[in-house]
Amino acid sequence: MAAREAEFPGPASACSEETTELAIEGMACVSCAVRVQRTLLRQEGVHEARVNFATRHATVSYDSTAIAVPRLEAVVGELGYRAMPLGRPDEAVGELEQQRERERRAWGLRAALSMPLAAVVVVLVYGFAHDGWARWLALALTAPVLFVAGWPILVSAWTRARRFEANMDTLIALGTLTAFVFSLVRLLRGGDVFFDSAAVIMAFIVLGRYVEARSTARASGAIAKLLELGAKEARVVVDGVERMVPASEVVVGSLVRVRPGEKIPVDGEVIGGRSSVDESMLSGEALPVEKTGGARVAGATVNLDGALTVRATAVGADTALAQIVRLVRSAQDSRAPIQRLADRIAGIFVPVVLVLAALTFLGWWLIAGDATAGLVAAVAVLIIACPCALGLATPTAIAVGTGRGAALGVVVKGADVLETSRRIDVVIFDKTGTLTEGGMTLRELVSAEDADEYALLARAAAVEVSSEHPIATAIVAGARSRDIAVSPASEFASTAGHGVTGRVDGETVVVGRRGLMGQAQLRIPDALEHRGRELEERGLTVVFVGWDRRARGVLAVGDTPKPEASAVVGELDELGVQVAMITGDNAQTAKAIADEVAIDRVLAEVLPGEKAAEVRRLQAEGLAVAMVGDGINDAPALAQADIGLAIGTGTDVAIESSDVTLISGDLRGVVTALSLSRRTVRTIRQNLAWAFGYNIAAIPLAAAGILPPIVAGATMALSSVSVVSNSLRLLRFGRDRMAGAVARSAAPASEPPAARPPAEAPDGAAGSHAIVTPVR
């Protein structure tokens, strides 16, 4: 495995420092990832180890003179898992995706086997309890549920048991096997059986594992989508001759010709030509950037309207795109895995239950002199402690909560997301395409005193209709929205970075920036100049329209906030969550948008890497951060944040890098996601409290012989029903809000609310200092 020190920088003197990436197979829960990580860190020569359960990916930094990769693989193998080294980024993504798909399919087949068999077992045990054939058939159907579908869980529990450890798998295996073995003994002696308990518990757990595997199978999708963005081929210029070669063969210093509409294959410097380049995949901003000699360009950005000759300065793993890939992967892996509450308690609960069962048997045998009664009481203790309700407490609440969220247009990717969402302190919104509509529209039209607005816009649109520039598109759309017929001008000409000209009604009409007006010898009246400056101060892009020796008007285009943006900011304030905005746009435009939606904390002119760094800065202050974005440039920050929320109408990369997807792009989904997360986690805690409380109260009764095994099984089932019923209450979430929305839509229109004053930081938040640095 080649060293990758650029990804995980270490001390300059550590010449033997290397980093390897491993795919880990066989991890069943978050605590497995913690266990693998802890074991790797204990190895001599290992400096850093990060294991991510969601991606099944480990990154290990080590001293190659002290330990080798095969030894790392062997160490993981001794724990009962499988480690596989990953190759180049594209190969790694393919291997990880194959691993996820294998795991998802395997759990899907197990669920398909176990669920119908468990249902039949329930019918046999309760419908034909006194028929011998039914009880034998229940045995035959329960066996494959436990020993085929549940085999990985049993193996995991056995592996833990050999090391005197316990987790959720230990509880599941202990409960199901106890019910199965006791039922088998009772079957041979002609007594009641509890095969349904064993079958149903295992079937539900297997189904939960399938749902979890399906949600994590796409964890590497963000990186795969990023890698697909790069150009596949490059037009290399050698001795004045163009030759198409694979982009991977371009070397630093090569000359590359990029034609209009093509992706730029490498990072480089423009040495010839002039054009506009769409850099939205890096900056998130819709407005193209003008490029001429000496300008820097980034690979995977799109050349729009002119030919460029570029000298390659960075290729392959050194390009901006590759750096974003590393940022996403690093942010994903840097998330410290957390053990679920049930797993943490299980480490104490299981040994305690085993000791109590043993003491129960010994007490009845030695004190009461009745070993048989002692065995029955001990089995009752184990059955009453069977983690049926415990096993259902989290997955049922998650299933109902996430299902309700999907019905409301909010897709949450897992339980850890819900747990983290409930404690969010700060929500950072990206600007373009998130808080705003993400496209240029005609915002203002100002004409000179002697000019007709209709004629002004008609002539401007006639010239711009032949251009594909976003400003031109906005002007033409603005004209058509005012029922102005748009016919192309003649003698159309474009000056890259300045504007366009054309003949309309016998006049040469110029539409563009101040510089183009000067070149065309068109005078700008002082009133129009003053108005243009005012519009620019509001963050709008201004173009002048003129003919016959002077400018006749000003057109201002710009992005517009989404209708619900201001209301969402207000609702987040009410939840005690602070709000900030981050953007790659200039300070004037950023402040103008922030003022419209009443956000007073802004960071402008931020590059993709800086967005992730800003999130890290807030996290270093002890704040839990949610990032809301839609663009590729938001992917590192979405992955770095405690919770990443992606606008569903945005890019696939942003969606894959996030923890929550807002399907419709409606920002009210942010409030829904945070509120639903709080409600769901509260429900999970209630379920766990009931499940453990039930065990604590019932175990003494079972040990005293008051609860025989058959009653223990019935009360265990009642405990499960209680947990499921409590989870189903989440189905009512959001109905009051929906009813309120319907009522508001039916109410008469009213004046828009005044802008809110800046909100004070809530108690316990960051205090008096600003959450995000002010506009620069």
Side-chain angles (χ1 to χ4, degrees):
M1 175 61 62
R4 274 187 261 194
E5 295 180 333
E7 290 186 43
F8 303 93
S13 61
C15 58
S16 58
E17 176 89 2
E18 293 194 20
T19 297
T20 187
E21 297 178 348
L22 305 171
I24 310 294
E25 285 189 351
M27 294 193 295
C29 62
V30 176
S31 61
C32 294
V34 174
R35 183 174 174 229
V36 173
Q37 180 171 298
R38 188 184 300 123
T39 303
L40 288 171
L41 285 170
R42 283 201 295 261
Q43 304 308 306
E44 182 180 357
V46 173
H47 302 147
E48 182 182 9
R50 294 177 292 179
V51 182
N52 189 307
F53 172 65
T55 60
R56 308 300 199 273
H57 179 265
T59 301
V60 184
S61 180
Y62 63 99
D63 182 352
S64 59
T65 63
I67 191 170
V69 173
R71 176 54 188 162
L72 297 175
E73 296 177 54
V75 167
V76 175
E78 291 170 3
L79 297 177
Y81 310 104
R82 182 187 176 200
M84 299 177 296
L86 299 174
R88 299 193 318 265
D90 53 344
E91 293 176 346
V93 169
E95 292 170 17
L96 286 169
E97 286 187 329
Q98 291 174 12
Q99 176 190 339
R100 312 290 186 276
E101 183 60 22
R102 286 196 301 270
E103 186 175 348
R104 185 193 65 80
R105 274 203 300 259
W107 283 114
L109 291 173
R110 294 184 185 109
L113 169 68
S114 62
M115 291 302 290
L117 291 182
V120 174
V121 170
V122 171
V123 172
L124 292 172
V125 170
Y126 287 97
F128 304 91
H130 302 292
D131 295 334
W133 65 269
R135 289 183 290 177
W136 282 101
L137 182 56
L139 166 65
L141 297 181
T142 301
V145 174
L146 260 62
F147 302 109
V148 178
W151 184 249
I153 295 172
L154 300 181
V155 170
S156 172
W158 171 244
T159 303
R160 287 293 182 105
R162 287 188 304 169
R163 295 177 176 272
F164 302 101
E165 298 175 350
N167 71 341
M168 198 66 182
D169 286 346
T170 307
L171 289 172
I172 296 165
L174 180 64
T176 54
L177 289 177
T178 299
F180 181 81
V181 172
F182 181 72
S183 296
L184 180 59
V185 173
R186 298 285 290 177
L187 174 63
L188 296 174
R189 295 184 176 182
D192 296 314
V193 296
F194 309 97
F195 291 120
D196 58 305
S197 297
V200 170
I201 292 170
M202 187 61 77
F204 269 111
I205 297 301
V206 167
L207 180 62
R209 293 288 169 85
Y210 166 68
V211 173
E212 186 174 20
R214 189 175 65 175
S215 67
T216 58
R218 292 162 58 94
S220 62
I223 297 174
K225 292 289 193 308
L226 282 170
L227 291 170
E228 291 172 3
L229 288 173
K232 303 300 184 290
E233 292 184 313
R235 186 177 284 102
V236 177
V237 181
V238 180
D239 297 328
V241 179
E242 297 180 6
R243 182 167 61 92
M244 295 298 295
V245 301
S248 59
E249 295 182 8
V250 180
V251 297
V252 173
S254 298
L255 296 183
V256 178
R257 185 74 47 78
V258 188
R259 295 177 178 174
E262 293 181 342
K263 288 183 178 179
I264 298 174
V266 295
D267 289 6
E269 179 183 355
V270 176
I271 63 169
R274 184 179 192 134
S275 182
S276 298
V277 175
D278 179 1
E279 295 187 338
S280 58
M281 60 82 60
L282 287 176
S283 67
E285 304 306 322
L287 195 63
V289 179
E290 304 303 327
K291 301 292 183 180
T292 186
R296 310 287 294 185
V297 293
T301 57
V302 180
N303 182 30
L304 295 179
D305 51 18
L308 294 175
T309 301
V310 177
R311 176 180 285 112
T313 58
V315 298
D318 297 324
T319 63
L321 178 64
Q323 290 171 19
I324 292 179
V325 170
R326 285 197 292 272
L327 282 170
V328 173
R329 178 173 288 168
S330 177
Q332 288 179 339
D333 288 344
S334 67
R335 288 176 175 169
I338 59 170
Q339 289 180 293
R340 291 186 174 89
L341 177 61
D343 275 342
R344 291 198 296 269
I345 297 178
I348 302 173
F349 182 68
V350 174
V352 169
V353 170
L354 290 173
V355 170
L356 289 176
L359 290 176
T360 298
F361 172 72
L362 292 175
W364 279 90
W365 181 27
L366 298 178
I367 299 175
D370 191 341
T372 301
L375 179 61
V376 172
V379 170
V381 168
L382 290 175
I383 291 180
I384 211 75
C386 180
C388 185
L390 184 60
L392 293 173
T394 298
T396 54
I398 291 171
V400 177
T402 55
R404 183 58 185 156
L408 297 173
V410 177
V411 177
V412 181
K413 291 188 177 179
D416 290 344
V417 176
L418 294 171
E419 293 176 19
T420 306
S421 295
R422 71 176 182 84
R423 57 182 180 82
I424 290 298
D425 301 307
V426 185
V427 174
I428 303 177
F429 285 94
D430 173 56
K431 181 181 74 68
T432 306
T434 303
L435 273 176
T436 68
E437 298 290 358
M440 306 287 269
T441 59
L442 182 60
R443 300 283 301 274
E444 296 282 350
L445 188 160
V446 181
S447 62
E449 292 182 0
D450 60 346
D452 177 74
E453 287 189 359
Y454 181 93
L456 177 76
L457 185 54
R459 289 190 171 190
V463 178
E464 294 281 21
V465 74
S466 298
S467 172
E468 295 182 357
H469 197 283
I471 291 177
T473 303
I475 291 173
V476 173
R480 287 173 173 161
S481 69
R482 292 164 173 80
D483 296 325
I484 296 176
V486 180
S487 299
S490 60
E491 301 179 23
F492 171 81
S494 173
T495 303
H498 290 279
V500 294
T501 61
R503 296 282 291 180
V504 182
D505 300 330
E507 295 277 6
T508 298
V509 178
V510 182
V511 185
R513 302 184 184 275
R514 291 177 181 82
L516 188 59
M517 294 292 118
Q519 293 177 23
Q521 297 182 344
L522 298 178
R523 182 178 62 85
I524 301 176
D526 291 342
L528 285 182
E529 176 65 32
H530 177 72
R531 187 65 176 132
R533 297 290 182 190
E534 288 182 344
L535 293 170
E536 287 173 336
E537 289 175 1
R538 288 172 47 193
L540 301 177
T541 300
V542 168
V543 295
F544 293 88
V545 183
W547 62 86
D548 190 20
R549 295 191 298 278
R550 67 188 178 88
R552 307 286 175 158
V554 176
L555 302 179
V557 300
D559 207 351
T560 56
K562 291 183 176 178
E564 72 276 11
S566 183
V568 167
V569 172
E571 290 186 55
L572 289 173
D573 281 345
E574 292 175 3
L575 287 176
V577 177
Q578 302 176 57
V579 183
M581 186 180 81
I582 194 167
T583 178
D585 211 341
N586 64 74
Q588 273 191 339
T589 302
K591 187 176 186 306
I593 294 294
D595 288 344
E596 287 192 59
V597 297
I599 293 178
D600 62 327
R601 295 179 174 94
V602 182
L603 185 66
E605 301 172 12
V606 182
L607 297 176
E610 291 176 338
K611 288 187 178 182
E614 184 63 23
V615 172
R616 283 194 294 272
R617 186 181 72 79
L618 292 172
Q619 291 170 328
E621 295 177 10
L623 298 172
V625 180
M627 173 72 191
V628 187
D630 74 314
I632 294 166
N633 64 298
D634 299 321
L638 287 169
Q640 177 63 47
D642 296 273
I643 293 296
L645 297 98
I647 302 298
T649 51
T651 65
D652 288 343
V653 175
I655 294 170
E656 294 292 346
S657 299
S658 67
D659 304 291
V660 180
T661 300
L662 312 181
I663 298 173
S664 66
D666 192 321
L667 292 179
R668 285 172 292 205
V670 176
V671 180
T672 298
L674 297 184
S675 300
L676 178 60
S677 296
R678 295 180 180 188
R679 183 79 63 84
T680 303
V681 171
R682 186 161 64 244
T683 300
I684 291 173
R685 289 184 168 184
Q686 291 169 350
N687 288 347
L688 290 173
W690 167 256
F692 284 114
Y694 151 80
N695 282 319
I696 292 172
I699 287 175
L701 298 178
I706 299 173
L707 286 179
I710 188 170
V711 177
T715 53
M716 182 183 64
L718 177 61
S719 174
S720 301
V721 171
S722 300
V723 165
V724 173
S725 299
N726 190 46
S727 298
L728 290 175
R729 293 169 57 234
L730 287 169
L731 290 174
R732 297 201 297 266
F733 177 85
R735 289 180 180 172
D736 293 340
R737 167 185 281 215
M738 294 173 68
V742 172
R744 286 192 297 272
S745 66
S750 61
E751 291 294 323
R756 296 178 301 102
E760 296 294 330
D763 293 340
S768 60
H769 65 278
I771 295 301
V772 182
T773 43
V775 174
R776 291 193 287 251

